PDB file of all heavy atoms in Angstrom:
ATOM      1  N   ALA U   1       0.860  -1.198  -0.022  1.00  0.00           N
ATOM      2  CA  ALA U   1       0.014   0.018  -0.023  1.00  0.00           C
ATOM      3  C   ALA U   1       0.871   1.245   0.008  1.00  0.00           C
ATOM      4  O   ALA U   1       0.598   2.199  -0.729  1.00  0.00           O
ATOM      5  CB  ALA U   1      -0.913   0.001   1.227  1.00  0.00           C
ATOM      6  N   LEU U   2       1.954   1.242   0.808  1.00  0.00           N
ATOM      7  CA  LEU U   2       2.845   2.422   0.873  1.00  0.00           C
ATOM      8  C   LEU U   2       3.398   2.669  -0.498  1.00  0.00           C
ATOM      9  O   LEU U   2       3.498   3.857  -0.927  1.00  0.00           O
ATOM     10  CB  LEU U   2       3.898   2.203   1.906  1.00  0.00           C
ATOM     11  CG  LEU U   2       4.888   3.321   2.099  1.00  0.00           C
ATOM     12  CD1 LEU U   2       4.219   4.617   2.508  1.00  0.00           C
ATOM     13  CD2 LEU U   2       5.916   2.914   3.168  1.00  0.00           C
ATOM     14  N   ILE U   3       3.861   1.667  -1.208  1.00  0.00           N
ATOM     15  CA  ILE U   3       4.467   1.836  -2.531  1.00  0.00           C
ATOM     16  C   ILE U   3       3.433   2.395  -3.496  1.00  0.00           C
ATOM     17  O   ILE U   3       3.708   3.314  -4.276  1.00  0.00           O
ATOM     18  CB  ILE U   3       5.088   0.502  -3.039  1.00  0.00           C
ATOM     19  CG1 ILE U   3       6.292   0.174  -2.188  1.00  0.00           C
ATOM     20  CG2 ILE U   3       5.423   0.605  -4.512  1.00  0.00           C
ATOM     21  CD1 ILE U   3       6.842  -1.191  -2.435  1.00  0.00           C
ATOM     22  N   CYS U   4       2.215   1.873  -3.423  1.00  0.00           N
ATOM     23  CA  CYS U   4       1.132   2.381  -4.333  1.00  0.00           C
ATOM     24  C   CYS U   4       0.837   3.848  -4.048  1.00  0.00           C
ATOM     25  O   CYS U   4       0.676   4.661  -4.949  1.00  0.00           O
ATOM     26  CB  CYS U   4      -0.125   1.544  -4.182  1.00  0.00           C
ATOM     27  SG  CYS U   4       0.065  -0.112  -4.890  1.00  0.00           S
ATOM     28  N   PHE U   5       0.743   4.190  -2.769  1.00  0.00           N
ATOM     29  CA  PHE U   5       0.494   5.590  -2.397  1.00  0.00           C
ATOM     30  C   PHE U   5       1.685   6.522  -2.747  1.00  0.00           C
ATOM     31  O   PHE U   5       1.486   7.659  -3.127  1.00  0.00           O
ATOM     32  CB  PHE U   5       0.151   5.689  -0.941  1.00  0.00           C
ATOM     33  CG  PHE U   5      -1.060   4.914  -0.474  1.00  0.00           C
ATOM     34  CD1 PHE U   5      -1.139   4.377   0.780  1.00  0.00           C
ATOM     35  CD2 PHE U   5      -2.150   4.728  -1.381  1.00  0.00           C
ATOM     36  CE1 PHE U   5      -2.257   3.664   1.163  1.00  0.00           C
ATOM     37  CE2 PHE U   5      -3.281   4.053  -0.978  1.00  0.00           C
ATOM     38  CZ  PHE U   5      -3.342   3.498   0.279  1.00  0.00           C
ATOM     39  N   ARG U   6       2.879   5.985  -2.706  1.00  0.00           N
ATOM     40  CA  ARG U   6       4.022   6.771  -3.080  1.00  0.00           C
ATOM     41  C   ARG U   6       4.028   7.021  -4.632  1.00  0.00           C
ATOM     42  O   ARG U   6       4.505   8.045  -5.064  1.00  0.00           O
ATOM     43  CB  ARG U   6       5.365   6.105  -2.651  1.00  0.00           C
ATOM     44  CG  ARG U   6       5.630   6.090  -1.205  1.00  0.00           C
ATOM     45  CD  ARG U   6       6.109   7.454  -0.694  1.00  0.00           C
ATOM     46  NE  ARG U   6       7.483   7.714  -1.155  1.00  0.00           N
ATOM     47  CZ  ARG U   6       8.151   8.771  -0.886  1.00  0.00           C
ATOM     48  NH1 ARG U   6       7.583   9.751  -0.189  1.00  0.00           N
ATOM     49  NH2 ARG U   6       9.351   8.946  -1.355  1.00  0.00           N
ATOM     50  N   ILE U   7       3.534   6.068  -5.389  1.00  0.00           N
ATOM     51  CA  ILE U   7       3.398   6.300  -6.829  1.00  0.00           C
ATOM     52  C   ILE U   7       2.441   7.454  -7.079  1.00  0.00           C
ATOM     53  O   ILE U   7       2.758   8.360  -7.890  1.00  0.00           O
ATOM     54  CB  ILE U   7       2.925   5.007  -7.496  1.00  0.00           C
ATOM     55  CG1 ILE U   7       4.007   3.946  -7.504  1.00  0.00           C
ATOM     56  CG2 ILE U   7       2.493   5.269  -8.951  1.00  0.00           C
ATOM     57  CD1 ILE U   7       3.600   2.541  -7.970  1.00  0.00           C
ATOM     58  N   LEU U   8       1.344   7.451  -6.407  1.00  0.00           N
ATOM     59  CA  LEU U   8       0.367   8.576  -6.526  1.00  0.00           C
ATOM     60  C   LEU U   8       0.980   9.880  -6.098  1.00  0.00           C
ATOM     61  O   LEU U   8       0.822  10.904  -6.748  1.00  0.00           O
ATOM     62  CB  LEU U   8      -0.908   8.271  -5.763  1.00  0.00           C
ATOM     63  CG  LEU U   8      -1.971   9.353  -5.770  1.00  0.00           C
ATOM     64  CD1 LEU U   8      -2.526   9.615  -7.178  1.00  0.00           C
ATOM     65  CD2 LEU U   8      -3.142   8.956  -4.827  1.00  0.00           C
ATOM     66  N   GLN U   9       1.661   9.819  -4.972  1.00  0.00           N
ATOM     67  CA  GLN U   9       2.345  11.036  -4.427  1.00  0.00           C
ATOM     68  C   GLN U   9       3.369  11.580  -5.382  1.00  0.00           C
ATOM     69  O   GLN U   9       3.478  12.790  -5.625  1.00  0.00           O
ATOM     70  CB  GLN U   9       2.939  10.691  -3.082  1.00  0.00           C
ATOM     71  CG  GLN U   9       3.429  11.850  -2.274  1.00  0.00           C
ATOM     72  CD  GLN U   9       4.041  11.428  -0.978  1.00  0.00           C
ATOM     73  OE1 GLN U   9       4.660  10.414  -0.878  1.00  0.00           O
ATOM     74  NE2 GLN U   9       3.800  12.221   0.029  1.00  0.00           N
ATOM     75  N   GLY U  10       4.180  10.703  -5.939  1.00  0.00           N
ATOM     76  CA  GLY U  10       5.212  11.140  -6.905  1.00  0.00           C
ATOM     77  C   GLY U  10       4.625  11.725  -8.142  1.00  0.00           C
ATOM     78  O   GLY U  10       5.145  12.694  -8.728  1.00  0.00           O
ATOM     79  N   ALA U  11       3.545  11.131  -8.668  1.00  0.00           N
ATOM     80  CA  ALA U  11       2.873  11.605  -9.841  1.00  0.00           C
ATOM     81  C   ALA U  11       2.305  12.997  -9.583  1.00  0.00           C
ATOM     82  O   ALA U  11       2.410  13.923 -10.427  1.00  0.00           O
ATOM     83  CB  ALA U  11       1.791  10.650 -10.317  1.00  0.00           C
ATOM     84  N   ALA U  12       1.691  13.208  -8.430  1.00  0.00           N
ATOM     85  CA  ALA U  12       1.150  14.512  -8.108  1.00  0.00           C
ATOM     86  C   ALA U  12       2.222  15.534  -7.842  1.00  0.00           C
ATOM     87  O   ALA U  12       2.099  16.705  -8.192  1.00  0.00           O
ATOM     88  CB  ALA U  12       0.202  14.426  -6.930  1.00  0.00           C
ATOM     89  N   GLY U  13       3.306  15.099  -7.223  1.00  0.00           N
ATOM     90  CA  GLY U  13       4.384  16.034  -6.906  1.00  0.00           C
ATOM     91  C   GLY U  13       5.281  16.374  -8.055  1.00  0.00           C
ATOM     92  O   GLY U  13       5.998  17.371  -8.050  1.00  0.00           O
ATOM     93  N   GLY U  14       5.258  15.573  -9.122  1.00  0.00           N
ATOM     94  CA  GLY U  14       6.140  15.785 -10.267  1.00  0.00           C
ATOM     95  C   GLY U  14       5.939  17.130 -10.926  1.00  0.00           C
ATOM     96  O   GLY U  14       6.865  17.706 -11.497  1.00  0.00           O
ATOM     97  N   ALA U  15       4.704  17.640 -10.849  1.00  0.00           N
ATOM     98  CA  ALA U  15       4.458  18.902 -11.568  1.00  0.00           C
ATOM     99  C   ALA U  15       4.536  20.118 -10.679  1.00  0.00           C
ATOM    100  O   ALA U  15       4.527  21.228 -11.158  1.00  0.00           O
ATOM    101  CB  ALA U  15       3.014  18.858 -12.144  1.00  0.00           C
ATOM    102  N   LEU U  16       4.729  19.925  -9.372  1.00  0.00           N
ATOM    103  CA  LEU U  16       4.710  21.072  -8.472  1.00  0.00           C
ATOM    104  C   LEU U  16       5.845  22.077  -8.699  1.00  0.00           C
ATOM    105  O   LEU U  16       5.621  23.269  -8.736  1.00  0.00           O
ATOM    106  CB  LEU U  16       4.714  20.601  -6.991  1.00  0.00           C
ATOM    107  CG  LEU U  16       3.440  19.852  -6.564  1.00  0.00           C
ATOM    108  CD1 LEU U  16       3.593  19.405  -5.120  1.00  0.00           C
ATOM    109  CD2 LEU U  16       2.254  20.748  -6.694  1.00  0.00           C
ATOM    110  N   ILE U  17       7.053  21.574  -8.893  1.00  0.00           N
ATOM    111  CA  ILE U  17       8.171  22.515  -9.053  1.00  0.00           C
ATOM    112  C   ILE U  17       8.102  23.227 -10.423  1.00  0.00           C
ATOM    113  O   ILE U  17       8.204  24.454 -10.449  1.00  0.00           O
ATOM    114  CB  ILE U  17       9.509  21.800  -8.832  1.00  0.00           C
ATOM    115  CG1 ILE U  17       9.606  21.399  -7.350  1.00  0.00           C
ATOM    116  CG2 ILE U  17      10.682  22.717  -9.222  1.00  0.00           C
ATOM    117  CD1 ILE U  17      10.832  20.580  -6.990  1.00  0.00           C
ATOM    118  N   PRO U  18       7.919  22.524 -11.555  1.00  0.00           N
ATOM    119  CA  PRO U  18       7.870  23.284 -12.776  1.00  0.00           C
ATOM    120  C   PRO U  18       6.666  24.243 -12.846  1.00  0.00           C
ATOM    121  O   PRO U  18       6.756  25.335 -13.424  1.00  0.00           O
ATOM    122  CB  PRO U  18       7.769  22.207 -13.869  1.00  0.00           C
ATOM    123  CG  PRO U  18       7.602  20.934 -13.180  1.00  0.00           C
ATOM    124  CD  PRO U  18       7.938  21.114 -11.775  1.00  0.00           C
ATOM    125  N   MET U  19       5.525  23.845 -12.297  1.00  0.00           N
ATOM    126  CA  MET U  19       4.403  24.719 -12.269  1.00  0.00           C
ATOM    127  C   MET U  19       4.660  25.969 -11.360  1.00  0.00           C
ATOM    128  O   MET U  19       4.282  27.085 -11.771  1.00  0.00           O
ATOM    129  CB  MET U  19       3.126  24.015 -11.761  1.00  0.00           C
ATOM    130  CG  MET U  19       2.626  22.950 -12.686  1.00  0.00           C
ATOM    131  SD  MET U  19       2.108  23.604 -14.266  1.00  0.00           S
ATOM    132  CE  MET U  19       0.856  24.753 -13.805  1.00  0.00           C
ATOM    133  N   SER U  20       5.259  25.746 -10.281  1.00  0.00           N
ATOM    134  CA  SER U  20       5.603  26.856  -9.355  1.00  0.00           C
ATOM    135  C   SER U  20       6.552  27.832 -10.053  1.00  0.00           C
ATOM    136  O   SER U  20       6.380  29.051 -10.005  1.00  0.00           O
ATOM    137  CB  SER U  20       6.265  26.338  -8.087  1.00  0.00           C
ATOM    138  OG  SER U  20       5.323  25.576  -7.351  1.00  0.00           O
ATOM    139  N   GLN U  21       7.545  27.250 -10.727  1.00  0.00           N
ATOM    140  CA  GLN U  21       8.512  28.147 -11.468  1.00  0.00           C
ATOM    141  C   GLN U  21       7.807  28.935 -12.599  1.00  0.00           C
ATOM    142  O   GLN U  21       8.108  30.111 -12.829  1.00  0.00           O
ATOM    143  CB  GLN U  21       9.669  27.340 -11.976  1.00  0.00           C
ATOM    144  CG  GLN U  21      10.584  26.887 -10.832  1.00  0.00           C
ATOM    145  CD  GLN U  21      11.719  26.029 -11.356  1.00  0.00           C
ATOM    146  OE1 GLN U  21      11.589  25.307 -12.323  1.00  0.00           O
ATOM    147  NE2 GLN U  21      12.850  26.079 -10.655  1.00  0.00           N
ATOM    148  N   ALA U  22       6.942  28.254 -13.301  1.00  0.00           N
ATOM    149  CA  ALA U  22       6.214  28.900 -14.442  1.00  0.00           C
ATOM    150  C   ALA U  22       5.357  30.070 -13.884  1.00  0.00           C
ATOM    151  O   ALA U  22       5.305  31.164 -14.493  1.00  0.00           O
ATOM    152  CB  ALA U  22       5.382  27.931 -15.189  1.00  0.00           C
ATOM    153  N   ILE U  23       4.690  29.829 -12.784  1.00  0.00           N
ATOM    154  CA  ILE U  23       3.839  30.871 -12.198  1.00  0.00           C
ATOM    155  C   ILE U  23       4.744  32.044 -11.661  1.00  0.00           C
ATOM    156  O   ILE U  23       4.375  33.191 -11.841  1.00  0.00           O
ATOM    157  CB  ILE U  23       2.993  30.295 -11.055  1.00  0.00           C
ATOM    158  CG1 ILE U  23       1.944  29.394 -11.656  1.00  0.00           C
ATOM    159  CG2 ILE U  23       2.350  31.425 -10.228  1.00  0.00           C
ATOM    160  CD1 ILE U  23       1.138  28.560 -10.726  1.00  0.00           C
ATOM    161  N   MET U  24       5.903  31.718 -11.100  1.00  0.00           N
ATOM    162  CA  MET U  24       6.801  32.811 -10.676  1.00  0.00           C
ATOM    163  C   MET U  24       7.261  33.642 -11.804  1.00  0.00           C
ATOM    164  O   MET U  24       7.284  34.874 -11.738  1.00  0.00           O
ATOM    165  CB  MET U  24       8.010  32.167  -9.942  1.00  0.00           C
ATOM    166  CG  MET U  24       7.662  31.511  -8.631  1.00  0.00           C
ATOM    167  SD  MET U  24       7.754  32.554  -7.205  1.00  0.00           S
ATOM    168  CE  MET U  24       9.440  33.037  -7.198  1.00  0.00           C
ATOM    169  N   ILE U  25       7.639  32.999 -12.903  1.00  0.00           N
ATOM    170  CA  ILE U  25       8.124  33.720 -14.081  1.00  0.00           C
ATOM    171  C   ILE U  25       6.972  34.588 -14.662  1.00  0.00           C
ATOM    172  O   ILE U  25       7.228  35.720 -15.089  1.00  0.00           O
ATOM    173  CB  ILE U  25       8.722  32.793 -15.144  1.00  0.00           C
ATOM    174  CG1 ILE U  25      10.053  32.239 -14.634  1.00  0.00           C
ATOM    175  CG2 ILE U  25       8.828  33.422 -16.543  1.00  0.00           C
ATOM    176  CD1 ILE U  25      10.696  31.221 -15.519  1.00  0.00           C
ATOM    177  N   GLU U  26       5.802  34.080 -14.679  1.00  0.00           N
ATOM    178  CA  GLU U  26       4.665  34.806 -15.153  1.00  0.00           C
ATOM    179  C   GLU U  26       4.298  35.979 -14.257  1.00  0.00           C
ATOM    180  O   GLU U  26       3.804  37.007 -14.735  1.00  0.00           O
ATOM    181  CB  GLU U  26       3.444  33.872 -15.292  1.00  0.00           C
ATOM    182  CG  GLU U  26       2.262  34.428 -16.000  1.00  0.00           C
ATOM    183  CD  GLU U  26       1.221  33.371 -16.142  1.00  0.00           C
ATOM    184  OE1 GLU U  26       0.404  33.203 -15.161  1.00  0.00           O
ATOM    185  OE2 GLU U  26       1.108  32.725 -17.174  1.00  0.00           O
ATOM    186  N   THR U  27       4.509  35.864 -12.974  1.00  0.00           N
ATOM    187  CA  THR U  27       4.139  36.886 -12.008  1.00  0.00           C
ATOM    188  C   THR U  27       5.030  38.092 -11.970  1.00  0.00           C
ATOM    189  O   THR U  27       4.605  39.204 -11.830  1.00  0.00           O
ATOM    190  CB  THR U  27       4.039  36.273 -10.584  1.00  0.00           C
ATOM    191  OG1 THR U  27       3.113  35.174 -10.615  1.00  0.00           O
ATOM    192  CG2 THR U  27       3.640  37.266  -9.552  1.00  0.00           C
ATOM    193  N   PHE U  28       6.368  37.834 -12.068  1.00  0.00           N
ATOM    194  CA  PHE U  28       7.353  38.925 -11.987  1.00  0.00           C
ATOM    195  C   PHE U  28       7.685  39.507 -13.327  1.00  0.00           C
ATOM    196  O   PHE U  28       7.770  38.759 -14.320  1.00  0.00           O
ATOM    197  CB  PHE U  28       8.607  38.364 -11.290  1.00  0.00           C
ATOM    198  CG  PHE U  28       8.455  38.215  -9.815  1.00  0.00           C
ATOM    199  CD1 PHE U  28       7.959  37.035  -9.284  1.00  0.00           C
ATOM    200  CD2 PHE U  28       8.899  39.206  -8.928  1.00  0.00           C
ATOM    201  CE1 PHE U  28       7.804  36.875  -7.915  1.00  0.00           C
ATOM    202  CE2 PHE U  28       8.755  39.007  -7.579  1.00  0.00           C
ATOM    203  CZ  PHE U  28       8.221  37.885  -7.077  1.00  0.00           C
ATOM    204  N   PRO U  29       7.885  40.829 -13.367  1.00  0.00           N
ATOM    205  CA  PRO U  29       8.363  41.409 -14.645  1.00  0.00           C
ATOM    206  C   PRO U  29       9.764  40.932 -14.957  1.00  0.00           C
ATOM    207  O   PRO U  29      10.519  40.418 -14.101  1.00  0.00           O
ATOM    208  CB  PRO U  29       8.372  42.957 -14.336  1.00  0.00           C
ATOM    209  CG  PRO U  29       8.254  43.059 -12.866  1.00  0.00           C
ATOM    210  CD  PRO U  29       7.706  41.789 -12.288  1.00  0.00           C
ATOM    211  N   VAL U  30      10.147  41.089 -16.202  1.00  0.00           N
ATOM    212  CA  VAL U  30      11.404  40.538 -16.712  1.00  0.00           C
ATOM    213  C   VAL U  30      12.606  41.020 -15.889  1.00  0.00           C
ATOM    214  O   VAL U  30      13.456  40.187 -15.530  1.00  0.00           O
ATOM    215  CB  VAL U  30      11.602  40.951 -18.163  1.00  0.00           C
ATOM    216  CG1 VAL U  30      12.964  40.507 -18.696  1.00  0.00           C
ATOM    217  CG2 VAL U  30      10.506  40.407 -19.065  1.00  0.00           C
ATOM    218  N   GLN U  31      12.634  42.273 -15.499  1.00  0.00           N
ATOM    219  CA  GLN U  31      13.792  42.756 -14.727  1.00  0.00           C
ATOM    220  C   GLN U  31      13.862  42.219 -13.273  1.00  0.00           C
ATOM    221  O   GLN U  31      14.905  42.294 -12.650  1.00  0.00           O
ATOM    222  CB  GLN U  31      13.787  44.324 -14.676  1.00  0.00           C
ATOM    223  CG  GLN U  31      12.626  44.947 -13.957  1.00  0.00           C
ATOM    224  CD  GLN U  31      11.425  45.156 -14.837  1.00  0.00           C
ATOM    225  OE1 GLN U  31      11.274  44.619 -15.932  1.00  0.00           O
ATOM    226  NE2 GLN U  31      10.515  46.031 -14.400  1.00  0.00           N
ATOM    227  N   GLU U  32      12.771  41.585 -12.775  1.00  0.00           N
ATOM    228  CA  GLU U  32      12.774  41.059 -11.415  1.00  0.00           C
ATOM    229  C   GLU U  32      12.818  39.521 -11.410  1.00  0.00           C
ATOM    230  O   GLU U  32      12.811  38.901 -10.343  1.00  0.00           O
ATOM    231  CB  GLU U  32      11.571  41.556 -10.671  1.00  0.00           C
ATOM    232  CG  GLU U  32      11.550  43.008 -10.401  1.00  0.00           C
ATOM    233  CD  GLU U  32      10.309  43.478  -9.654  1.00  0.00           C
ATOM    234  OE1 GLU U  32       9.423  42.638  -9.324  1.00  0.00           O
ATOM    235  OE2 GLU U  32      10.190  44.718  -9.424  1.00  0.00           O
ATOM    236  N   ARG U  33      12.853  38.881 -12.542  1.00  0.00           N
ATOM    237  CA  ARG U  33      12.748  37.377 -12.582  1.00  0.00           C
ATOM    238  C   ARG U  33      14.006  36.743 -11.999  1.00  0.00           C
ATOM    239  O   ARG U  33      13.833  35.692 -11.364  1.00  0.00           O
ATOM    240  CB  ARG U  33      12.549  36.924 -14.026  1.00  0.00           C
ATOM    241  CG  ARG U  33      11.146  37.173 -14.482  1.00  0.00           C
ATOM    242  CD  ARG U  33      10.888  36.680 -15.865  1.00  0.00           C
ATOM    243  NE  ARG U  33       9.578  37.042 -16.265  1.00  0.00           N
ATOM    244  CZ  ARG U  33       9.155  37.080 -17.502  1.00  0.00           C
ATOM    245  NH1 ARG U  33       9.983  36.706 -18.466  1.00  0.00           N
ATOM    246  NH2 ARG U  33       7.908  37.447 -17.811  1.00  0.00           N
ATOM    247  N   GLY U  34      15.163  37.328 -12.180  1.00  0.00           N
ATOM    248  CA  GLY U  34      16.364  36.730 -11.593  1.00  0.00           C
ATOM    249  C   GLY U  34      16.287  36.735 -10.073  1.00  0.00           C
ATOM    250  O   GLY U  34      16.614  35.722  -9.437  1.00  0.00           O
ATOM    251  N   MET U  35      15.828  37.835  -9.554  1.00  0.00           N
ATOM    252  CA  MET U  35      15.658  37.920  -8.068  1.00  0.00           C
ATOM    253  C   MET U  35      14.596  36.908  -7.635  1.00  0.00           C
ATOM    254  O   MET U  35      14.770  36.229  -6.616  1.00  0.00           O
ATOM    255  CB  MET U  35      15.225  39.336  -7.693  1.00  0.00           C
ATOM    256  CG  MET U  35      14.919  39.487  -6.185  1.00  0.00           C
ATOM    257  SD  MET U  35      14.014  40.916  -5.770  1.00  0.00           S
ATOM    258  CE  MET U  35      12.509  40.776  -6.739  1.00  0.00           C
ATOM    259  N   ALA U  36      13.479  36.785  -8.348  1.00  0.00           N
ATOM    260  CA  ALA U  36      12.406  35.883  -7.961  1.00  0.00           C
ATOM    261  C   ALA U  36      12.936  34.462  -7.979  1.00  0.00           C
ATOM    262  O   ALA U  36      12.619  33.646  -7.042  1.00  0.00           O
ATOM    263  CB  ALA U  36      11.227  36.067  -8.908  1.00  0.00           C
ATOM    264  N   MET U  37      13.654  34.080  -9.002  1.00  0.00           N
ATOM    265  CA  MET U  37      14.109  32.692  -9.083  1.00  0.00           C
ATOM    266  C   MET U  37      15.188  32.405  -8.032  1.00  0.00           C
ATOM    267  O   MET U  37      15.259  31.293  -7.491  1.00  0.00           O
ATOM    268  CB  MET U  37      14.728  32.422 -10.472  1.00  0.00           C
ATOM    269  CG  MET U  37      13.663  32.266 -11.527  1.00  0.00           C
ATOM    270  SD  MET U  37      12.596  30.819 -11.279  1.00  0.00           S
ATOM    271  CE  MET U  37      11.069  31.577 -10.875  1.00  0.00           C
ATOM    272  N   SER U  38      15.947  33.438  -7.603  1.00  0.00           N
ATOM    273  CA  SER U  38      16.947  33.189  -6.537  1.00  0.00           C
ATOM    274  C   SER U  38      16.210  33.026  -5.240  1.00  0.00           C
ATOM    275  O   SER U  38      16.636  32.225  -4.405  1.00  0.00           O
ATOM    276  CB  SER U  38      17.984  34.337  -6.488  1.00  0.00           C
ATOM    277  OG  SER U  38      17.339  35.556  -6.150  1.00  0.00           O
ATOM    278  N   ILE U  39      15.162  33.771  -5.009  1.00  0.00           N
ATOM    279  CA  ILE U  39      14.376  33.555  -3.766  1.00  0.00           C
ATOM    280  C   ILE U  39      13.723  32.198  -3.778  1.00  0.00           C
ATOM    281  O   ILE U  39      13.669  31.479  -2.761  1.00  0.00           O
ATOM    282  CB  ILE U  39      13.297  34.691  -3.641  1.00  0.00           C
ATOM    283  CG1 ILE U  39      14.002  36.000  -3.364  1.00  0.00           C
ATOM    284  CG2 ILE U  39      12.256  34.345  -2.564  1.00  0.00           C
ATOM    285  CD1 ILE U  39      13.097  37.221  -3.418  1.00  0.00           C
ATOM    286  N   PHE U  40      13.208  31.769  -4.931  1.00  0.00           N
ATOM    287  CA  PHE U  40      12.669  30.426  -5.056  1.00  0.00           C
ATOM    288  C   PHE U  40      13.734  29.381  -4.779  1.00  0.00           C
ATOM    289  O   PHE U  40      13.482  28.396  -4.115  1.00  0.00           O
ATOM    290  CB  PHE U  40      12.095  30.230  -6.446  1.00  0.00           C
ATOM    291  CG  PHE U  40      11.403  28.945  -6.643  1.00  0.00           C
ATOM    292  CD1 PHE U  40      10.069  28.821  -6.307  1.00  0.00           C
ATOM    293  CD2 PHE U  40      12.080  27.861  -7.201  1.00  0.00           C
ATOM    294  CE1 PHE U  40       9.423  27.556  -6.479  1.00  0.00           C
ATOM    295  CE2 PHE U  40      11.444  26.628  -7.353  1.00  0.00           C
ATOM    296  CZ  PHE U  40      10.095  26.483  -7.024  1.00  0.00           C
ATOM    297  N   GLY U  41      14.943  29.610  -5.273  1.00  0.00           N
ATOM    298  CA  GLY U  41      16.063  28.698  -5.056  1.00  0.00           C
ATOM    299  C   GLY U  41      16.412  28.566  -3.586  1.00  0.00           C
ATOM    300  O   GLY U  41      16.754  27.500  -3.099  1.00  0.00           O
ATOM    301  N   ILE U  42      16.374  29.658  -2.875  1.00  0.00           N
ATOM    302  CA  ILE U  42      16.699  29.662  -1.447  1.00  0.00           C
ATOM    303  C   ILE U  42      15.658  28.848  -0.710  1.00  0.00           C
ATOM    304  O   ILE U  42      15.991  28.015   0.136  1.00  0.00           O
ATOM    305  CB  ILE U  42      16.713  31.114  -0.859  1.00  0.00           C
ATOM    306  CG1 ILE U  42      17.957  31.819  -1.428  1.00  0.00           C
ATOM    307  CG2 ILE U  42      16.755  31.072   0.666  1.00  0.00           C
ATOM    308  CD1 ILE U  42      17.997  33.290  -1.110  1.00  0.00           C
ATOM    309  N   GLY U  43      14.377  29.004  -1.087  1.00  0.00           N
ATOM    310  CA  GLY U  43      13.360  28.207  -0.495  1.00  0.00           C
ATOM    311  C   GLY U  43      13.484  26.722  -0.818  1.00  0.00           C
ATOM    312  O   GLY U  43      13.300  25.850   0.035  1.00  0.00           O
ATOM    313  N   ALA U  44      13.954  26.448  -2.026  1.00  0.00           N
ATOM    314  CA  ALA U  44      14.093  25.071  -2.469  1.00  0.00           C
ATOM    315  C   ALA U  44      15.292  24.398  -1.762  1.00  0.00           C
ATOM    316  O   ALA U  44      15.334  23.188  -1.564  1.00  0.00           O
ATOM    317  CB  ALA U  44      14.247  24.977  -3.972  1.00  0.00           C
ATOM    318  N   MET U  45      16.253  25.207  -1.375  1.00  0.00           N
ATOM    319  CA  MET U  45      17.456  24.671  -0.722  1.00  0.00           C
ATOM    320  C   MET U  45      17.118  24.150   0.693  1.00  0.00           C
ATOM    321  O   MET U  45      17.818  23.337   1.245  1.00  0.00           O
ATOM    322  CB  MET U  45      18.546  25.697  -0.632  1.00  0.00           C
ATOM    323  CG  MET U  45      19.289  25.882  -1.922  1.00  0.00           C
ATOM    324  SD  MET U  45      20.637  27.069  -1.936  1.00  0.00           S
ATOM    325  CE  MET U  45      20.782  27.701  -0.316  1.00  0.00           C
TER     326      MET U  45
END
């Protein structure tokens, strides 16, 4: 059961990081995207 649930969890989690980054890039203006991605990177670390 744990393995089956981890498959579901991995499938749902697979899109979280790229979707989050896409939304961040869409939210910030071009001149602030580097700063936004570095803040995202700090959180990811």
